[in-house]
Amino acid sequence: MENVARPWPALWSLVIGFFMILIDTTIVSVANPSIMKGLNTDINSVIWVTSAYLLAYAVPLLITGRLGDRFGPKKLYLSGLVVFTLASLWCGLSGDVQTLIAARVVQGLGAAMMTPQTMAVITRIFAPDRRGAAMGIWGATAGVATLVGPILGGVLVDGLGWEWIFFINVPVGIAGFILAMRFVPTLSTHPHKFDIPGVLLSALGLFLLVFGIQEGETYDWGTIVGPITVWGLIISGVVVLVVFVLWQKFNKGEPLLPLSLFRDRNFSLANIAITTVGFTVTAFTLPLIFYYQIVRGLTPTESALMMVPMALISGGLAPVVGRIIDRVNPKFITATGLVLMSVALFWNSLLMHPDTPIWLFLLPSAVLGFANAGIWAPLSSTVTRNLPPRQAGAGSGVYNTTRQIGAVLGSAAIAVLIQARLVAELPARPGSGGEASPMGFGGALPEPLHEGFSTAMGQAILLPAAVILLGAAVALFFAKPKPVQGWGEPAAAGAAAPAESGGHGAPAADAAAGSAAVADVDRSGVDRAGAERR
């Protein structure tokens, strides 16, 4: 077995790449007007700059998680980081929107290679009962990125041009590569047989489902081309994914997605909960930003600054919460965080009027900070606690996939709801066909319409506020963590899995000293430990 005496430098090295990925999911939205002008294109094409990235990011996560188990998470992470960094350079050098979209697809694939490996490495180098603090750092990274993305985007676009939101990734990517190469350990691999039918079915099913949901509003939930409709794609995606699950169940070889993972109650429930979080975090920002910019006249950077309390409190408290959840039952912290997020969103809804003092919105933003601190680390720790090391990549792939699907659902649902509430609350404009849209006002909304627009945004934000309550209810059913037994015990002679480096077995880490063993115990040892935990 192998031994990692310094897991924390490895964690911080991975955080750099993870932070860069999260930044790129939000930073482009600020630059959309500049990209439209710079590349002489239209709004539909610019929307695809983000959509293509998210699609290429979400679809392969199951596969890349399993590839990490097979070839080693360090190799997959470094390969993904190279792809992501080079694609970022390509994005910045793009001379037309079609090239930019193609580069964003490659960038999304690089991100998909990296993301499951960050959780998989944490799962394998920190013992389950010492993992909370590490997941706290991981969660704090997500919280801070939500703020830094829009602000950094505004500064770069205003000062240097839209290209620099991509160029900035190049030096960061190089630094992240050097640090990961030095500090991230080379972990043991497993001789998995790759499930080719499972790969094809999962990729096709997720593509059809994610594309249909993500682009439904663009095509008015109707015909895309010829006989192909949005709902036809969504239904086909669901059917293909059902076939995928049946294949995983009856596959006599080694499935891409081990369904045995879902026998662990906490793994299944945490995946449901993170879906509601992905939905809510993506959905609530759109009506809030529309209100800030169209009704209150804030700039993109000023709108992002309204999130400062959330980011500061979340970033400061998440590591503290991470240390606490190693000692207490995380379900109470998780449920409290999810309820607080709902409270903050309901509070925002009540405040959404044209004459509300703008500083009052800093108060629910602060509540969102406390909420975020109580969500990310406890959920991540709960979902990974009982994962056997040989399935860390697969479990991380599932968790990140469900989060991304939740985000896609949230984005689609809030777009439909905003449109419906605007039609209900605002008078139809001449020649609009009875429709009202914030885009139709060019950002200059007549003052008599401010109240109706505010009401529509306040009503729309109630949807994510309700969805996150479902996540809170799910969290209350988490099973109480049991004492960890057998983590890092030496494997039987000759039973250790071969390491990436071709190295030998090593003694287990000294758990009392806080070191974590990263090589896998033998198969029987995993089964025994899993049985004890269950």
Side-chain angles (χ1 to χ4, degrees), residues 7-187:
W8 285 101
L11 172 65
W12 284 110
S13 302
L14 293 170
V15 158
I16 293 174
F18 183 54
F19 184 76
M20 189 166 61
I21 293 170
L22 293 174
I23 288 284
D24 255 63
T25 62
T26 58
I27 197 171
V28 176
S29 59
V30 177
N32 279 342
S34 296
I35 293 174
M36 283 178 60
K37 183 178 179 180
L39 297 182
N40 192 27
T41 187
D42 56 28
I43 184 66
N44 289 330
S45 297
V46 168
I47 288 172
W48 262 102
V49 172
T50 297
S51 297
Y53 173 81
L54 294 176
L55 193 63
Y57 182 21
V59 170
L61 283 170
L62 276 181
I63 301 165
T64 56
R66 203 58 165 160
L67 283 171
D69 286 337
R70 174 64 182 85
F71 297 105
K74 180 176 181 177
K75 284 183 179 178
L76 259 291
Y77 177 84
L78 290 174
S79 300
L81 185 55
V82 170
V83 171
F84 187 92
T85 304
L86 292 177
S88 296
L89 179 62
W90 185 16
C91 287
L93 295 174
S94 297
D96 56 70
V97 73
Q98 290 79 16
T99 303
L100 179 57
I101 291 171
R104 286 284 278 171
V105 169
V106 178
Q107 197 182 36
L109 291 173
M113 294 171 69
M114 294 167 65
T115 300
Q117 318 315 326
T118 60
M119 276 188 70
V121 171
I122 293 171
T123 300
R124 294 175 62 179
I125 66 177
F126 289 90
D129 55 351
R130 301 177 185 273
R131 198 174 291 154
M135 289 300 182
I137 299 297
W138 195 78
T141 302
V144 173
T146 59
L147 169 68
V148 173
I151 294 178
L152 181 61
V155 170
L156 290 174
V157 170
D158 291 340
L160 298 171
W162 66 265
E163 298 90 347
W164 283 89
I165 66 172
F166 301 113
F167 287 150
I168 192 68
N169 290 337
V170 177
V172 176
I174 292 172
F177 185 92
I178 294 170
L179 291 173
M181 177 69 78
R182 179 177 179 183
F183 293 114
V184 175
T186 298
L187 305 178

Side-chain angles (χ1 to χ4, degrees), residues 272-273 276 334-335 338 466-476 478:
I272 296 173
T276 68
T334 308
L338 295 168
V467 169
I468 202 67
L469 282 179
L470 173 62
V474 167
L476 290 175
F478 286 164

Side-chain angles (χ1 to χ4, degrees), residues 291 296 306 351 353-362:
Y291 167 81
R296 307 311 296 268
M306 297 298 294
L351 291 175
H353 298 286
D355 55 352
T356 302
I358 198 70
W359 67 267
L360 284 177
F361 286 91
L362 298 175

Side-chain angles (χ1 to χ4, degrees), residues 281-291 411 414-415 418 457:
V281 169
T282 303
F284 88 80
T285 54
L286 192 60
L288 196 57
I289 294 299
F290 271 156
Y291 167 81
S411 177
I414 201 67
I418 284 176
M457 295 304 102

